[in-house]
Amino acid sequence: MQRWFDAAVAKRIAVVSFPLMGTMVGNLLMMLVDRLCLAHYSPDTLAASGPAVFTSMAIIAFFCSTVGVSRSFVAQANGRSGLEEARGEGALGLFLGLACGAVLFMAAPLIALIPQLSSRPAQIVSLESQYMLWAAIFGGVMAINTALSSFFNGVGRTRETLMVGIVGQVVDSIFTVGLVFGKFGLPEMGMAGAAIGTLIGTLSMLGCYALMLPREVWRELMNIFIARSEHLWSRLAFRLRRGVPSGLSAGVDQLGNTAFIWIVAVLGASALAANNVNLTINYLGIIPIIGLGIGCSILCATAAGKQQYAELATIVRVTVVIELIYVLLVSTVQVTMPQVLLKAFGDLGHNQEIIDLAIDTQRVLWTFSGAFAFSMTGAAVLESIGMARFSLIVRLVLMWFMSIPLIYYVAMGNRDDPSSLVTCWIIGSVFELAIGLIYFWRIAKAVRGAENRLQVNHHPATEGAL
């Protein structure tokens, strides 16, 4: 009989995941700097920041997640054969990252037109377009950085990605503050300045990765460009068949979050402002979980490469226990001391209705954080064994055909009642939990059958199940 918690496995998860958690927290800080600067700059930039940031991230998430599946390929190759094969997989991932980055660069003018499809005020639409033009450009750099970080993370060198992330965060913070408000001798650019600051931060990370990447990976990449890589197009096609569903799943998720923002906007300006604040606070509860989930997927992919499926099951169990402990700690602060977290956003225009609604909503954020622990970890583990298509179908059905329509129905039926924002959050949390539980059912089935769809020629192993 297997134990539900294994201290040795927990230590391995900590070694791999804690640097990733730091990286994710750093990403949170980068987003916080953007949102806080825009919140303090003007009411218009605060209102525009929610739709602009989340719409941009929905598009960027598709490309980054499509490239990010390389992490699982690298980890499985490292577990199966060692560093030599992992370097080859890393080079192919970098090739894909460069291609996705080029697509985003070229699509930037078109992406900037998306806000014009909405019915929001003209000045808000103009600000959103400014941000999204530059967001497409820094998104292209992010796609390349994702490919580079996938190699380091896949072979367990997560401390390097943490160090690179810290450099990017420091640079981003300086330039974002400077370019939004015109500080440090930089021009005042408002909304666009937030995105340009992020671009400069991501470029600094790209430079660090380029210097740190092993020469063998660069050599493999050059072989790809001069057509010396064996079975290049078949390998790339297989990578895309596994990566595109992952990208679509992330895009569908981000679009769902964006749709949520747009839908609750019908509840009024107070609900929109309170929701924008709580979206940022919510990241306190979920960003570290993303780091733990990614660390879990790396260890699971390595175990799958070795065909050690009982170990994979143990890794998943221990990760979820750690995540739920973290959710409990953060949720305690959100429920008992909501005013402390709100102070970071200034006086919110001295609007008591916004403040009260933000506090009420913050006190139910724990429901989403707890559900997210299952959905995010489940999706990451499914990706690590090549089953992102399943997670895409589940999320598409439950989010877009059930959760979003129900939230829309509630919001439209309570257009004059901003307090319905709390109900909308709870509905989203319930469906997020349902998605996570279905993911874990599929993982249990995969472990019992020793399924691994990242290997073309896979021979099932005979090990225990969950």
Side-chain angles (χ1 to χ4, degrees):
M1 182 177 176
Q2 295 181 347
R3 292 176 295 173
W4 274 91
F5 192 85
D6 187 307
V9 172
K11 182 178 180 180
R12 290 172 55 206
I13 293 171
V15 170
V16 174
S17 297
F18 280 8
L20 289 170
M21 289 178 67
T23 301
M24 295 301 110
V25 171
N27 291 341
L28 167 63
L29 293 176
M30 291 175 74
M31 179 172 287
L32 273 174
V33 169
D34 275 12
R35 299 295 295 275
L36 290 174
C37 286
L38 295 175
H40 287 275
Y41 188 75
S42 75
D44 282 349
T45 55
L46 172 61
S49 64
V53 170
F54 277 87
T55 304
S56 300
M57 292 311 298
I59 298 169
I60 294 169
F62 166 74
F63 289 95
C64 288
S65 295
T66 298
V67 174
V69 76
S70 298
R71 177 185 63 244
S72 298
F73 279 93
V74 170
Q76 284 210 16
N78 191 42
R80 182 170 55 247
S81 304
L83 277 176
E84 184 175 355
E85 185 181 348
R87 289 166 183 154
E89 295 291 351
L92 185 61
L94 181 52
F95 179 78
L96 183 59
L98 291 168
C100 288
V103 171
L104 278 169
F105 296 150
M106 293 186 290
L110 293 176
I111 292 173
L113 298 176
I114 292 176
Q116 297 181 19
L117 300 175
S118 74
S119 59
R120 289 185 294 279
Q123 71 272 19
I124 302 297
V125 169
S126 176
L127 291 171
E128 291 172 0
S129 294
Q130 291 176 35
Y131 185 92
M132 291 183 67
L133 174 68
W134 289 102
I137 298 172
F138 75 64
V141 180
M142 282 182 172
I144 301 170
N145 286 345
T146 298
L148 291 163
S149 65
S150 291
F151 170 76
F152 290 101
N153 289 337
V155 297
R157 294 170 58 181
T158 54
R159 291 183 181 178
E160 279 90 335
T161 58
L162 173 60
M163 294 298 105
V164 171
I166 290 173
V167 171
Q169 291 142 26
V170 171
V171 173
D172 173 78
S173 298
I174 293 171
F175 278 91
T176 296
V177 172
L179 290 170
V180 170
F181 296 103
K183 304 289 186 181
F184 318 128
L186 296 170
E188 180 179 342
M189 301 181 70
M191 192 82 177
I196 296 172
T198 302
L199 171 61
I200 296 172
T202 56
L203 285 172
S204 68
M205 295 170 66
L206 177 60
C208 292
Y209 279 131
L211 292 173
M212 295 166 54
L213 193 69
R215 286 176 295 178
E216 294 84 355
V217 179
W218 287 118
R219 192 176 301 120
E220 288 288 341
L221 180 63
M222 289 304 300
N223 288 336
I224 290 174
F225 276 109
I226 60 179
R228 289 182 182 173
S229 182
E230 187 177 2
H231 307 303
L232 170 61
W233 296 113
S234 62
R235 291 173 60 209
L236 186 60
F238 184 71
R239 179 73 60 93
L240 285 171
R241 286 199 300 273
R242 296 295 179 263
V244 169
S246 179
L248 287 172
S249 183
V252 164
D253 187 18
Q254 284 290 344
L255 283 173
N257 295 333
T258 305
F260 180 83
I261 295 170
W262 288 24
I263 290 170
V264 300
V266 306
L267 297 175
S270 296
L272 178 61
N275 193 52
N276 283 342
V277 168
N278 277 297
L279 285 168
T280 304
I281 292 175
N282 184 53
Y283 276 91
L284 289 171
I286 68 173
I287 286 289
I289 292 175
I290 297 175
L292 279 165
I294 293 173
C296 175
S297 74
I298 292 169
L299 294 174
C300 287
T302 304
K306 298 176 181 178
Q307 298 192 30
Q308 296 177 350
Y309 292 92
E311 180 182 4
L312 186 155
T314 302
I315 292 167
V316 174
R317 286 197 299 268
V318 174
T319 299
V320 171
V321 171
I322 296 172
E323 289 172 343
L324 292 178
I325 292 172
Y326 171 79
V327 169
L328 178 62
L329 294 174
V330 173
S331 298
T332 300
V333 177
Q334 291 175 338
V335 171
T336 61
M337 296 181 289
Q339 296 89 344
V340 173
L341 297 176
L342 286 181
K343 287 181 180 178
F345 294 87
D347 55 24
L348 295 178
H350 296 289
N351 189 317
Q352 192 60 43
E353 183 180 23
I354 295 176
I355 295 171
D356 291 342
L357 185 56
I359 289 174
D360 290 342
T361 306
Q362 190 181 154
R363 284 179 169 146
V364 301
L365 293 182
W366 66 269
T367 61
F368 186 84
S369 300
F372 188 78
F374 291 93
S375 63
M376 191 283 151
T377 304
V381 174
L382 287 171
E383 178 190 293
S384 75
I385 53 178
M387 296 183 180
R389 185 179 301 175
F390 176 84
S391 62
L392 167 63
I393 293 171
V394 172
R395 180 160 292 281
L396 188 63
V397 172
L398 268 70
M399 174 177 271
W400 278 97
F401 290 95
M402 299 176 71
S403 178
I404 295 298
L406 183 56
I407 291 171
Y408 179 81
Y409 174 80
V410 170
M412 294 302 291
N414 298 273
R415 294 175 71 100
D416 299 323
D417 183 12
S419 64
S420 297
L421 177 64
V422 176
T423 304
C424 292
W425 269 94
I426 293 174
I427 292 171
S429 299
V430 170
F431 280 96
E432 194 70 21
L433 178 61
I435 290 169
L437 294 177
I438 294 173
Y439 287 172
F440 270 71
W441 166 79
R442 187 63 183 92
I443 292 168
K445 183 179 178 182
V447 169
R448 286 194 297 269
E451 298 179 65
N452 181 7
R453 297 184 183 177
L454 287 190
Q455 290 186 12
V456 179
N457 298 314
H458 171 59
H459 301 287
T462 55
E463 288 197 53
L466 282 168

